[in-house]
Amino acid sequence: MLCSPLNKIALTLLTYLVTAQAALSNDTLPIFHIDTTDKTRLQIGQALGDAVKQQFPNIEVRYDAYLHTLLNQTQFNQLLQQRIKPLRQQVAQHYQDEITGITSRWQLFGHDQLGDNRLSLNEYWAFLLLPDLGRPEIQGSAFGVWQRASATNSPIVGRNLDWPADANLKGLQAITLYTSPDSSIANIGFAGYIGTLSGFNQSGLFLAQIASPLSQPKSTSPGQIHSVTFALRQALETAHTNRQARQQLEQTYYPTGHNILMADRTDIQVLEKPQNTLGRIRNDNSQYRADKSWNKINQIAVVNCYALLSSPNNCTHSNDNLRWQRLRQLANFDRAHPAEVSNIISIMLNTTNHYQAIFNQHTLYSMVFTPEDGTLHLYHTPSSGQNSARPVMQAFRNLLPAGKPSGSWQPLLIMLTALGAFVLIATVYYFEFHRKRR
């Protein structure tokens, strides 16, 4: 047996390679690559339905079980008649076709009974439209910098999705990539969830929905109401800048209130969109309410309430007020001390104030995105349990390349490491062989 120092180095490297592979494969976030080139929406849905079903053979059982933790049967029946069916009718036909494609590959049942280990089409729609149903559990926050406050002089944006989830939903977290030569988008959410909670396109446009409910919601709408998550998906497919996205989103009426975070390669804005009203854009230099003062140049923050002087004052919860105060304390960047990506990551993972923390026990996703190069830094709650004691964001680069879609940088790293190990081992044995011959 060879016992030289070179052999020990080679053995150590091989051990590291195996360990790294195991670590990366443990609780890895699934990425579904859907090539939309020359495909109808029905075919796109069928491709996604097949991919999801292969990854999660019991997905119907898991979604049914999760819905049962949120709603009882009476609540579901009321929502179905009063909210879900009217909203479903307003969803664009091409998305309905995509859903038809997905469900054609799943095993759905006609009976609407939560907790029966079966998923009906109405139950699936209920899950897709949860952000439009005013559920108080769905919360979140965001923070971003650009220009003088950014070390790259370009936007760096962070967003946390707070969504209480059981093991079923935690295990269904996923990224879905829709790619074609002309239009590609990344959806950060759940397996088979085709609306957009958080996502970006190949132009670097990033959009995210952050709930902002009114204490006394309006019961009537001046026009047709639409799903906010499907509106964001549509904007990602057709817009390239904040201005273009705003033109689409601000004129649409939604059944509940939202803050819509928008970031492109130039700046970051928030569209404050109270229920059934036109939207109002908030910048770093907008007129803020006195209790939500800001005065932070090239920096912006979002919680689950409105900050504009012209928007309704719905900041009545301690969560919103404490998170806003904490974000304002941390927003100390300027030309002399610009923010790096690592600084924004630290802010989004900040745990001060515990239950009211930016990163808290209900944070399912925490992400930082740089529109300039399309890099996504992402932490997702492990399906095996609670948030990690020391959460780390994983870097995903070139998720939406100009050519064929590729995954994150980890597989490339593994391949290069393996190649390096092979070269090193071959070199070791070559020199050992010649040393013995001499």
Side-chain angles (χ1 to χ4, degrees):
M1 180 177 292
L2 302 177
C3 301
S4 69
L6 283 176
N7 279 298
K8 293 181 179 179
I9 294 173
L11 181 61
T12 301
L13 183 57
L14 279 175
T15 303
Y16 163 78
L17 179 61
V18 172
T19 304
Q21 173 66 59
L24 290 170
S25 62
N26 183 33
D27 221 347
T28 301
L29 187 69
I31 302 178
F32 298 106
H33 299 268
I34 308 300
D35 184 357
T36 63
T37 306
D38 298 328
K39 288 187 176 68
T40 66
R41 291 288 182 157
L42 179 66
Q43 292 170 330
I44 292 170
Q46 290 170 339
L48 179 57
D50 282 334
V52 169
K53 185 67 173 176
Q54 183 177 3
Q55 180 80 21
F56 303 106
N58 64 339
I59 189 168
E60 304 91 346
V61 174
R62 297 171 74 165
Y63 273 138
D64 173 74
Y66 174 68
L67 282 173
H68 194 43
T69 67
L70 289 183
L71 303 168
N72 59 44
Q73 194 62 40
T74 300
Q75 291 173 323
F76 173 81
N77 293 338
Q78 291 176 344
L79 284 172
L80 181 61
Q81 298 303 321
Q82 298 172 8
R83 307 286 291 276
I84 297 170
K85 286 186 175 180
L87 264 177
R88 175 181 170 180
Q89 293 174 357
Q90 300 304 324
V91 173
Q93 186 60 49
H94 55 271
Y95 294 131
Q96 297 200 37
D97 292 343
E98 191 173 323
I99 290 169
T100 299
I102 292 172
T103 55
S104 71
R105 297 311 204 244
W106 295 2
Q107 189 173 11
L108 300 190
F109 291 81
H111 186 56
D112 301 324
Q113 180 63 52
L114 298 182
D116 63 353
N117 292 329
R118 297 179 175 184
L119 187 69
S120 70
L121 181 59
N122 286 329
E123 290 168 357
Y124 179 46
W125 271 101
F127 178 69
L128 292 174
L129 296 173
L130 274 177
D132 299 289
L133 303 181
R135 299 301 304 173
E137 303 92 344
I138 301 175
Q139 300 182 7
S141 55
F143 178 77
V145 297
W146 66 97
Q147 291 182 5
R148 289 182 293 177
S150 169
T152 63
N153 202 46
S154 58
I156 308 172
V157 62
R159 182 269 206 273
N160 283 4
L161 173 65
D162 299 345
W163 192 324
D166 64 356
N168 289 300
L169 191 63
K170 289 177 182 177
L172 294 175
Q173 296 171 92
I175 297 176
T176 303
L177 306 179
Y178 299 89
T179 59
S180 73
D182 300 326
S183 176
S184 297
I185 69 169
N187 240 5
I188 307 159
F190 308 100
Y193 190 93
I194 71 168
T196 297
L197 299 164
S198 310
F200 58 92
N201 63 24
Q202 62 187 17
S203 298
L205 176 65
F206 177 90
L207 299 176
Q209 171 269 345
I210 300 176
S212 184
L214 299 177
S215 57
Q216 296 181 339
K218 299 178 181 179
S219 58
T220 60
S221 171
Q224 291 181 337
I225 57 174
H226 296 270
S227 164
V228 67
T229 57
F230 283 96
L232 263 61
R233 166 85 183 270
Q234 182 71 35
L236 284 179
E237 290 179 339
T238 56
H240 303 281
T241 64
N242 290 345
R243 181 182 62 82
Q244 293 173 350
R246 170 189 174 181
Q247 290 174 344
Q248 296 185 37
L249 299 169
E250 67 181 350
Q251 301 293 329
T252 306
Y253 296 104
Y254 308 116
T256 54
H258 306 280
N259 283 308
I260 298 176
L261 177 67
M262 304 185 300
D264 59 19
R265 295 182 178 181
T266 304
D267 63 3
I268 305 172
Q269 299 176 334
V270 177
L271 176 63
E272 296 196 353
K273 198 72 173 61
Q275 178 189 12
N276 298 332
T277 64
L278 297 176
R280 303 173 177 90
I281 282 291
R282 172 160 63 86
N283 298 301
D284 55 336
N285 58 358
S286 299
Q287 282 191 302
Y288 286 70
R289 290 200 312 276
D291 64 322
K292 288 291 174 288
S293 61
W294 188 242
N295 300 324
K296 302 288 185 175
I297 299 174
N298 299 144
Q299 299 163 87
I300 202 163
V302 190
V303 294
N304 293 110
C305 66
Y306 302 119
L308 279 176
L309 182 62
S310 56
S311 293
N313 185 357
N314 61 339
C315 291
T316 58
H317 297 287
S318 61
N319 283 358
D320 299 326
N321 294 317
L322 287 172
R323 288 174 190 168
W324 181 271
Q325 292 171 10
R326 184 57 180 159
L327 287 167
R328 191 174 187 278
Q329 291 172 355
L330 296 172
N332 292 318
F333 305 107
D334 52 31
R335 189 182 296 277
H337 305 91
E340 304 278 357
V341 169
S342 59
N343 299 123
I344 308 304
I345 290 176
S346 295
I347 288 176
M348 302 318 299
L349 297 179
N350 188 274
T351 57
T352 301
N353 297 326
H354 193 50
Y355 293 113
Q356 291 82 21
I358 299 168
F359 184 88
N360 57 78
Q361 75 273 23
H362 295 311
T363 301
L364 197 60
Y365 281 112
S366 183
M367 65 192 75
V368 171
F369 180 68
T370 49
E372 185 64 31
D373 61 4
T375 298
L376 174 70
H377 299 264
L378 182 68
Y379 169 84
H380 73 285
T381 301
S383 58
S384 55
Q386 296 296 317
N387 281 323
S388 303
R390 296 178 180 272
V392 176
M393 290 192 188
Q394 178 181 350
F396 294 85
R397 297 180 173 87
N398 301 320
L399 279 174
L400 299 179
K404 294 182 179 180
S406 63
S408 67
W409 60 273
Q410 277 77 4
L412 178 61
L413 177 62
I414 293 173
M415 183 181 69
L416 292 176
T417 305
L419 180 61
F422 175 78
V423 172
L424 179 58
I425 292 171
T427 303
V428 168
Y429 279 88
Y430 175 81
F431 282 108
E432 286 288 339
F433 176 75
H434 283 281
R435 183 179 64 82
K436 285 192 171 184
R437 290 190 63 180
R438 290 194 299 269

